[in-house]
Amino acid sequence: MWVLLPGLVFAADTKPPAEEGQDHQQDLAKAVQNPVAALISVPLQDNVDLGVEPGDRVRNTLNIQPVVPLPLTRDFNVITRVILPILYQPDLGDGEGGTFGLGDTSATFFLAPKKPGALIWGIGPAFLLPTATNEVLGTGKWSVGPSVVALIQPEPWSIGVLANNVFSVFGGDDRATVNQLLLQYFVSYNLPKGWYLTSAPLLTANWEAPSGEKWTVPFGLGAGKVFTVGKQALNGSVSAYYNAIRPDLPGAAEWQLRIQLSFLFPLKKKH
């Protein structure tokens, strides 16, 4: 399960899910937590940040994050993952209003083996594109850096980590330099009938921030279920995270509520 992660599912030659019933749900629940599963995913993830300072405000980010696996060679796939954020950013000064619009788009391209062993992995470049419709919603910089994901799935667990660090390479001279780390560990425990418990907090570090104000470290958990409506497979989840470590700077939030609905399109194994 990813947030970013909810939404990061890759392609591999894995056992195809059963056509219906509980086995179908169980296989899909395992697949949505697998970075190299034979699955196209289109998650819609809404993140509500509570207690945004100053003024105990609320920020909302809707991430549209399609993930599409593409065959590269006989042994490897390229997994394309795009996150398109639609934001409401409250004013961080004395105002009571806010700004609504498109934020910066992130795009990652993972090289991953089609037939992974016990350790499932992917590696590739991550890009941050200055697509924000207002300067308060983005960085104003073109940024790039490395990204890696690794995962194991001992029954009934899925345990892994995703990390990237992007650096600004060019953009507006009047905008701050970008040098930021994203680190997401994820732990899921699968239950019968497609249910699962999950924790996938998103740790971030802004290396350009003042000393002592660089890290945001949340803790929390949630629950989800894989289900079908008609013939459409879906994955829904709700989770909450408390930012135990956060910068004492404008824009820092105390809590985050995450609600996600993913549309799942399993890929059939070729014989």
Side-chain angles (χ1 to χ4, degrees), residues 11-13 70-79 110-115 121-123:
D13 293 328
L70 301 171
L72 180 63
T73 69
R74 181 176 179 179
D75 297 320
F76 288 93
N77 291 319
V78 170
I79 296 84
F110 284 94
L111 177 70
K114 291 183 177 180
K115 297 181 179 180
W121 60 271
I123 189 169

Side-chain angles (χ1 to χ4, degrees), residues 83 91 170 243 255 269:
I83 301 178
D91 290 337
F170 55 89
N243 291 322
W255 286 88
K269 183 177 179 180

Side-chain angles (χ1 to χ4, degrees), residues 57-118:
R57 306 291 301 280
V58 176
R59 176 173 54 235
N60 194 90
T61 305
L62 173 64
N63 289 326
I64 304 170
Q65 42 192 60
V67 181
V68 180
L70 301 171
L72 180 63
T73 69
R74 181 176 179 179
D75 297 320
F76 288 93
N77 291 319
V78 170
I79 296 84
T80 64
R81 176 174 179 263
V82 175
I83 301 178
L84 185 68
I86 301 173
L87 301 111
Y88 172 77
Q89 170 68 53
D91 290 337
L92 301 181
D94 297 329
E96 294 296 324
T99 303
F100 176 82
L102 179 66
D104 287 350
T105 299
S106 65
T108 309
F109 301 87
F110 284 94
L111 177 70
K114 291 183 177 180
K115 297 181 179 180

